[in-house]
Amino acid sequence: QVQLVESGGGLVQAGGSLRLSCVASGSMFSIYNMGWYRQAPGKQRELVARISVGGITNYVDPVKGRFTISRDNAKKTVYLQMSSLKPEDTAVYYCAADRVTMRIDYWGRGTQVTVSS
């Protein structure tokens, strides 16, 4: 059983920055690929960024150059550094873990990010 707990969300003005953190329980963190997803009101949950077991990263086009995903296996933590935030980034951000691409094994409960204009 793996539990994921997100933190770091909040209210920020457009152009500002936030760093989200996701801490995992258990001792098997290093075998999971980790990702950040987001869901805005009335919209489907979508992938934002992903980092593989080997450290390979992927980003969706709207956040490329602004967001950075990283992981610290010793701390069992994955981060999402968000810069140059836009109102369109407003959403609940979820941490996720998977062992097989596109098949999520565990979800966090989410953290709210609100970007004002």
Side-chain angles (χ1 to χ4, degrees):
Q1 182 72 230
V2 174
Q3 295 183 66
L4 306 174
V5 180
E6 303 99 332
S7 63
L11 175 64
V12 64
Q13 290 186 310
S17 300
L18 285 173
R19 188 182 75 162
L20 306 183
S21 298
C22 172
V23 180
S25 67
S27 60
M28 305 300 290
F29 177 78
S30 62
I31 73 170
Y32 289 96
N33 308 295
M34 301 296 298
W36 285 98
Y37 293 73
R38 66 186 181 187
Q39 186 168 23
K43 303 187 71 175
Q44 295 187 57
R45 190 172 300 185
E46 64 178 358
L47 175 69
V48 176
R50 186 172 182 269
I51 184 166
S52 74
V53 170
I56 299 172
T57 58
N58 297 97
Y59 303 89
V60 293
D61 287 341
V63 309
K64 286 181 179 177
R66 299 190 298 121
F67 291 10
T68 301
I69 188 171
S70 61
R71 67 190 296 161
D72 186 333
N73 289 344
K75 295 182 178 180
K76 302 176 183 178
T77 302
V78 62
Y79 304 94
L80 185 67
Q81 177 66 51
M82 305 184 293
S83 300
S84 301
L85 283 162
K86 304 174 180 179
E88 306 94 277
D89 296 318
T90 295
V92 177
Y93 283 71
Y94 298 90
C95 178
D98 72 89
R99 292 174 293 165
V100 178
T101 301
M102 299 181 67
R103 295 183 65 86
I104 305 301
D105 292 308
Y106 302 99
W107 289 100
R109 293 183 178 181
T111 185
Q112 177 72 48
V113 172
T114 302
V115 184
S116 62
S117 60

